[in-house]
Amino acid sequence: MNIKVRPATADDAADVCRVIRKSILECCYEDHRGDVKVIQGWLSNKTHEVLRRFILAPDAFSVIASVDKATVGFGLASGTGEVALCYVAPSVRFTGVGKALLAAIEDHAVRSGVEALRLKSTRTAKAFYLRNGFVPEGSPVFAFGIEGLPMRKGLSARG
């Protein structure tokens, strides 16, 4: 599989929206348990317009992953190292797409002088983040009716 990762543009918002929504609906059952109210809350800000604003935010770094020119993943982090979104299409789960997104975010963060990446992991993604060097940091938090586990990964400058 030839995974290509590049910075996201506003024109990617519709494809990004489809990937995120499908990932939440199909991959994150452990988190939402099929609860319609929880799913609606989680998806409430996953619209083309909101994602376009996220991509264009001046302090954001966002990337998309594609395979055969089809968008299959999206990652978004702030300039301070907060990873806000990292989703892959169900069809490419466990193929290295998520790892490629994280690597691009990490490389950008290191070049920007960020000392650590932080995020709030879902139950579904916890093992993925642990495999990629993140460690739990603090008590769980709740948003959109789901539990988020704060995690951190220290970064070192690369020469």
Side-chain angles (χ1 to χ4, degrees):
M1 176 178 298
N2 187 13
I3 303 164
K4 294 185 180 177
V5 177
R6 64 163 173 81
T9 69
D11 291 338
D12 296 315
D15 289 337
V16 164
C17 186
R18 278 191 291 278
V19 166
I20 291 173
R21 293 176 78 85
K22 192 167 183 137
S23 182
I24 289 169
L25 290 170
E26 295 182 27
C27 299
C28 298
Y29 184 83
E30 184 179 350
D31 296 286
H32 60 65
R33 305 246 186 236
D35 184 316
V36 173
K37 187 175 178 181
V38 171
I39 293 168
Q40 287 175 340
W42 199 350
L43 296 178
S44 65
N45 70 344
K46 309 308 186 287
T47 66
H48 301 172
E49 299 79 24
V50 170
L51 290 163
R52 185 175 187 282
R53 284 198 309 269
F54 287 172
I55 291 167
L56 292 173
D59 188 38
F61 176 70
S62 59
V63 290
I64 67 159
S66 62
V67 173
D68 297 328
K69 298 184 182 178
T71 300
V72 295
F74 178 72
L76 171 76
S78 72
T80 60
E82 184 73 25
V83 179
L85 300 169
C86 187
Y87 287 95
V88 300
S91 62
V92 297
R93 204 169 167 207
F94 305 113
T95 64
V97 171
K99 187 173 187 158
L101 291 168
L102 274 183
I105 289 170
E106 185 174 330
D107 288 344
H108 178 79
V110 167
R111 287 191 315 273
S112 299
V114 173
E115 295 182 4
L117 292 178
R118 288 186 168 76
L119 54 83
K120 292 170 188 71
S121 176
T122 60
R123 287 184 189 130
T124 301
K126 180 181 174 185
F128 166 74
Y129 289 121
L130 288 170
R131 284 192 309 273
N132 283 281
F134 285 80
V135 295
E137 178 183 63
S139 301
V141 296
F142 293 86
F144 305 113
I146 61 167
E147 179 182 87
L149 176 63
M151 300 184 89
R152 176 185 192 281
K153 180 177 183 178
L155 303 176
S156 58
R158 297 182 184 146

